[in-house]
Every structure is written in C-alpha cells, then in structure tokens.
Amino acid sequence: MRKKEARHTNTNSAKNTLSDGRRGLINSAIYECITIINLIRRFEYVSKSEIMSNYSEADSRRFKDFLDNHPQKQPGILKTSQIFEYKKLFPSDVLEPAELSLSQSYLKSLALVIFCQIFHSGYGDDKYTRKNDRNKNRSEMNKIIQEGLSREHADNFSAFVDRALQLRDTMIAHADGKAFQYKVVNPAVASHRMMIAAVDEIDIDEFSSYLDAIRVGYANTYRSSTDTD
C-alpha cells in the first residue's frame, strides 16, 4: 500500500497542474510531429530510390544538352534565366531531387514550430484548457520525459529544446536580424543566412528519438495517474 501511495503522490502533481485540455493539446503536438517526421522519412526514401536516380541522370544529360546549344552560352557561367527557361520548356511531372530536399526542410520547420507548442507560452480558456506557462511547463515536461529518456541524454534534450525555441523565435516564426546575419555588400548586393540552412542543422534522427521518448514518458505518467484513481 505504501508503494502505491508514493506512486500516486508522484504522478498526482502532474495531473493537478495539467488540465485535460492542455494535456490533449500537448499530446496532439507530439503525434503531429511524429506524423511529419514519418512523412520526411518517405521523402528521403523516394529521393534515394533507383527511379529517382535514373530520372536525375536523364534530366542532367538533357539540361547539359540544353546549355550546350543555348544561344547565350557562356562557358563556366549559369544564368538564373537559363534555369527558368529550361524548366518552362521541360516541366517535370515528378518532384526533382532538389525539390524533395527542400520539401523535407520545410516539413522539418513545421515540425519544430509544432514541437515548440509544448514548451512555448499559450493562452488557455475559462473551462477546459489552462494557460501554457513557458517556464512552468518546461520544468514539468522535463520531469515527465524522464520516463522515456535516460539520465545521460537529459542535458542533450534540454539543449535541443533551447535550439528549437531559438529557431522558432528568431528565424521560422519571426525574423530576427541578428539571427539572419543580414549584410549589405554594396548598393546592389546583400546577403543573409537562409532559414533552411539553419533548420537543416537539426538532426532528424535526434529529433525523432526525443519525440519517441516524450511520447513514452508522457503516456506512462498519465497512465499511472489514471491507474491510481
């Protein structure tokens, strides 16, 4: 009986601080992220398939022939106008390798934004959903995920959350000048860091492993609180 009472006390704090509505929204965010990651995996599979490899080789040969016979051919120089002209003459009926890669990056951006719903501030309502307090929820979730993460990975997870929130707040959902490193080279030329380049630094395998850990820990925590009612 003592063991059961201790278990009830440990899980009841989480139960009392997360309303059903907020709990449901967090659970939804977890599974939406997992769905997006699985979709990214599908894009990866297609991009590495033999069919795509054969298509890429054929398209590369056709593009080379197009450039070799272009009236404005200049050795060693590829103009953007030539690329657009080629795309217009030879429209593709499938996603090209570059488009598949870009699609994966934008999907990862979406997954990061949804992932940050778990930790970011959010309004509640008067009946079912409590306010999502950024600091309180971060601490609460850190305790919950210990069910699915080993202690040695806890620091890495915390750093990952910080990085995801930083990307969400400065480059994906907002445009922070410092984060984009915008520079004016001369009156006609400017440069900045691309959002996609920053997002691509997020390792998809690491992201996936944390989602699985959160899913397991979150489910176990609230299953335990239900079992003791």
Side-chain angles (χ1 to χ4, degrees):
M1 286 297 294
R2 289 183 179 179
K3 185 175 182 180
K4 183 176 181 180
E5 289 174 359
R7 186 184 180 190
H8 181 78
T9 302
N10 289 337
T11 57
N12 209 31
S13 60
K15 180 182 177 183
N16 289 335
T17 53
L18 278 177
S19 69
D20 289 342
R22 181 58 58 187
R23 190 184 306 174
L25 292 177
I26 290 175
N27 194 58
S28 176
I30 293 171
Y31 280 93
E32 284 179 349
C33 286
I34 291 174
T35 298
I36 294 172
I37 295 297
N38 289 337
L39 187 56
I40 291 174
R41 299 287 195 210
R42 292 289 297 162
F43 275 79
E44 288 178 339
Y45 174 80
V46 172
S47 66
K48 296 175 182 177
S49 67
E50 183 178 354
I51 293 176
M52 184 55 63
S53 177
N54 292 337
Y55 171 82
S56 299
E57 292 176 4
D59 189 61
S60 295
R61 290 193 298 268
R62 185 169 59 184
F63 186 49
K64 183 179 183 302
D65 291 340
F66 168 80
L67 292 176
D68 288 342
N69 295 286
H70 198 279
Q72 298 179 1
K73 175 184 177 181
Q74 291 179 273
I77 298 177
L78 176 62
K79 296 181 179 180
T80 303
S81 60
Q82 292 173 322
I83 297 176
F84 286 141
E85 184 181 346
Y86 174 79
K87 297 292 186 184
K88 187 175 182 178
L89 287 172
F90 304 102
S92 174
D93 57 355
V94 299
L95 286 175
E96 299 176 2
E99 293 172 323
L100 285 169
S101 177
L102 194 60
S103 298
Q104 292 174 57
S105 297
Y106 283 124
L107 283 170
K108 192 189 296 185
S109 299
L110 176 61
L112 286 169
V113 171
I114 295 176
F115 176 73
C116 288
Q117 289 180 3
I118 302 172
F119 304 95
H120 217 284
S121 300
Y123 292 115
D125 59 39
D126 296 333
K127 191 172 183 180
Y128 295 110
T129 308
R130 73 161 175 83
K131 177 182 178 182
N132 206 36
D133 182 87
R134 183 168 183 160
N135 295 325
K136 181 179 181 180
N137 206 39
R138 175 75 177 267
S139 174
E140 197 166 71
M141 286 302 297
N142 283 341
K143 295 177 181 178
I144 291 173
I145 62 169
Q146 288 177 4
E147 291 284 340
L149 278 178
S150 61
R151 183 175 297 178
E152 62 185 283
H153 292 128
D155 290 340
N156 291 337
F157 173 76
S158 182
F160 181 86
V161 173
D162 288 337
R163 180 59 177 149
L165 287 169
Q166 180 189 38
L167 282 171
R168 185 265 183 205
D169 293 345
T170 64
M171 299 191 79
I172 303 176
H174 302 277
D176 183 86
K178 187 176 181 180
F180 278 93
Q181 301 173 17
Y182 192 90
K183 297 178 182 178
V184 177
V185 180
N186 59 54
V189 179
S191 67
H192 69 275
R193 189 184 188 202
M194 298 296 291
M195 180 196 77
I196 292 302
V199 170
D200 283 344
E201 294 176 0
I202 297 293
D203 184 86
I204 199 69
D205 292 327
E206 182 183 19
F207 193 2
S208 180
S209 68
Y210 291 142
L211 286 171
D212 286 338
I214 293 174
R215 177 183 59 80
V216 172
Y218 193 71
N220 287 346
T221 296
Y222 291 109
R223 185 182 300 113
S224 296
S225 65
T226 301
D227 290 345
T228 55
D229 287 344

